[in-house]
Amino acid sequence: MSKHYAVLGSPITHSQSPRIHAAFAKQTGIAMDYLAIEANHDDFRAKLDASNLAGANITLPLKEAAFALCRTSSTRALRAGAANTLVREGEHWHGDNTDGVGLVRDLTERHGLDLRQRRVLLLGAGGAARGVAPALLDAGIGALFVVNRNPDRADALADAMGEPGRVHARTWETLPKLGEFDLLLNATSASRGGSLPSLPMALAAPRSAAVDLSYGEAAIPFLAWARAAGCTHAIDGLGMLVEQAAESFLLWHGVRPSTDSIFAQLSGRADALVTAD
Ligand code: NDP
């Protein structure tokens, strides 16, 4: 019998997750359906409970709320304090977070980046930033600087990593004094409104890689800045999107699908995509 899955968040109309999971199901021969469900903080729990789902992906702005409702959680969800993947266990939910492993897999395996000992700037301290920070540390980066519009959230993220020698919270105002970074990640949702705050060119060097976790139009401002600042690599979040989805698929079905084909399909029309996952 076909099991039901869905992605919940807001806005959700343009989510690519149903298409990605349908492609994985076809590739692996697993019978399932996967919907996109519009949900906000007020109706998230009710919609989740009413939907008879075996598993769910959770996106902006609900990842921290999703983590809070889980009876049990994986170590990586606990470290992130955010869940992007829920697995039904009887009457309860188990939470996991596949964003970080998805990002690291995309950067190291698809783009061939070596993250070891790298000096990393993370812009943002929301659910996505909390998901990727532990995985970057596990991948062996040398130092992580977290900068967020609301400085308290940057402090909280840095504290949660429990590595004060390696993880540092800084305010947006100090960006001009932070020096050059090997890897610069935009994990804010600022570009969705087209208003990414200005960034000093001095943050980037010719060897730097810049990554926007968004894709499509939302990734354009940061990646344009990165190219103008001289970064060697300017990477959007499409690869991370398909890799985190493959990791969720593995948790639900016990099979890790190949991601190359769906990545190629989505990349071919990347300009037409609207970030929604
Ligand atoms: P959240 O709502 O949890 O966090 C949003 C973050 O963006 C916060 O740090 C917030 O700062 C910051 N922000 C929002 N507006 C501005 C602004 N105008 N100026 C500066 N900072 C701003 O969202 P998520 O963390 O879940 O998602 C962040 C981005 O990552 C989204 O674009 C999302 O689509 C993308 N993403 C991509 C994934 C992929 O697989 N490729 C997976 C997950 C996310 P503050 O705390 O001050 O409000």
Side-chain angles (χ1 to χ4, degrees):
M1 199 178 65
S2 181
K3 287 188 179 173
H4 309 300
Y5 298 84
V7 57
L8 291 92
S10 182
I12 208 69
T13 324
H14 298 288
S15 174
Q16 296 302 315
S17 291
R19 181 174 172 193
I20 295 170
H21 282 277
F24 290 163
K26 189 172 173 196
Q27 180 197 126
T28 56
I30 290 171
M32 56 164 274
D33 57 67
Y34 188 110
L35 300 171
I37 299 175
E38 179 78 25
N40 55 44
H41 283 288
D42 294 333
D43 59 10
F44 169 45
R45 184 69 205 236
K47 286 189 171 172
L48 188 66
D49 289 345
S51 52
N52 190 29
L53 299 174
N57 282 131
I58 308 299
T59 188
L60 181 145
L62 300 171
K63 290 180 185 180
E64 287 154 84
F67 173 74
L69 64 76
C70 290
R71 170 74 63 96
T72 57
S73 296
S74 67
T75 306
R76 56 194 182 185
L78 273 171
R79 284 176 78 196
N84 80 329
T85 307
L86 302 183
V87 183
R88 184 183 286 284
E89 292 186 346
E91 294 301 305
H92 305 291
W93 291 103
H94 173 76
D96 207 329
N97 195 314
T98 65
D99 281 340
V101 69
L103 174 71
V104 168
R105 192 183 287 265
D106 181 55
L107 297 185
T108 56
E109 297 187 14
R110 181 168 288 111
H111 296 285
L113 299 185
D114 182 354
L115 300 181
R116 289 169 298 176
Q117 294 308 316
R118 297 298 184 244
R119 191 166 190 266
V120 180
L121 175 65
L122 179 60
L123 299 172
R130 294 188 75 103
V132 302
L136 290 166
L137 293 166
D138 289 349
I141 63 168
L144 180 66
F145 288 76
V146 184
V147 173
N148 193 51
R149 180 177 59 180
N150 175 344
D152 293 344
R153 290 181 91 189
D155 285 341
L157 196 165
D159 288 350
M161 294 305 107
E163 298 195 51
R166 208 154 59 118
V167 185
H168 315 277
R170 294 287 185 270
T171 61
W172 212 281
E173 292 70 35
T174 64
L175 278 173
K177 300 179 198 151
L178 293 186
E180 291 177 352
F181 290 90
D182 304 304
L183 177 63
L184 303 100
L185 297 141
N186 179 23
T188 76
S189 54
S191 309
R192 285 176 170 223
S195 59
L196 181 73
S198 71
L199 296 168
M201 294 283 181
L203 291 170
R207 67 177 185 286
S208 304
V211 181
D212 197 318
L213 270 53
S214 305
Y215 50 85
E217 279 191 3
I220 291 173
F222 179 70
L223 297 184
W225 170 86
R227 289 188 190 96
C231 291
T232 307
H233 303 271
I235 299 167
D236 73 12
L238 258 189
M240 172 183 169
L241 177 69
V242 295
E243 297 304 331
Q244 62 79 27
E247 208 67 26
S248 296
F249 196 91
L250 172 63
L251 288 170
W252 294 330
H253 308 293
V255 183
R256 190 175 205 290
S258 161
T259 53
D260 290 345
S261 164
I262 187 70
F263 177 72
Q265 284 176 42
L266 292 173
S267 301
R269 49 187 288 272
D271 290 349
L273 299 179
V274 179
T275 301
D277 295 279

